[in-house]
Amino acid sequence: GGGTNNHSGNVKFRQLVNEHKLRYLAASKVDKPKVARDVVKIWRGFTPPGRFLTRTGDVIKKGAGSVKAEGNCWLDVGDRKAREK
C-alpha cells in the first residue's frame, strides 16, 4: 500500500532488487530461486538487518495512518515467504 511503499526500508529494498534484476531476468528457471535467495541473504546481512514483515493483530487497520496504528503487530515472515516476495 501507499504508506508502506514509501517506508525508507522498502525503498532501499526495491533498490537492491533493481540491482539484481538483470541477473534474475538472465537466469534460467532453475537459477532464478538462487538469485532470490541471494537478495534475501544480502538484505538480512545488513546492519541493522533488513526484515520482511507482515502486519497481524486482532484488527488489521487499513487506510491512511494504518501502518503505525495502535494495536498493529509486525512479524517476520521468514525466508521462504521473503523469497516469494
Side-chain angles (χ1 to χ4, degrees):
T4 56
N5 282 339
N6 296 322
H7 186 277
S8 62
N10 291 336
V11 171
K12 290 175 189 172
F13 179 70
R14 284 195 303 275
Q15 289 171 345
L16 176 65
V17 168
N18 281 331
E19 290 170 13
H20 293 268
K21 187 182 242 176
L22 290 178
R23 187 173 144 227
Y24 182 85
L25 293 173
S28 68
K29 185 175 182 178
V30 172
D31 291 333
K32 286 184 188 301
K34 182 185 182 324
V35 177
R37 280 192 303 272
D38 290 347
V39 169
V40 170
K41 185 176 180 180
I42 291 166
W43 186 246
R44 293 211 186 264
F46 287 142
T47 304
R51 301 177 296 166
F52 297 90
L53 303 174
T54 187
R55 184 173 18 181
T56 64
D58 294 337
V59 177
I60 298 177
K61 299 175 178 149
K62 299 193 184 274
S66 64
V67 172
K68 295 181 181 179
E70 187 177 328
N72 278 344
C73 181
W74 295 88
L75 299 174
D76 193 291
V77 297
D79 286 353
R80 175 181 283 176
K81 192 90 165 165
R83 286 191 303 271
E84 292 171 5
K85 189 161 180 70

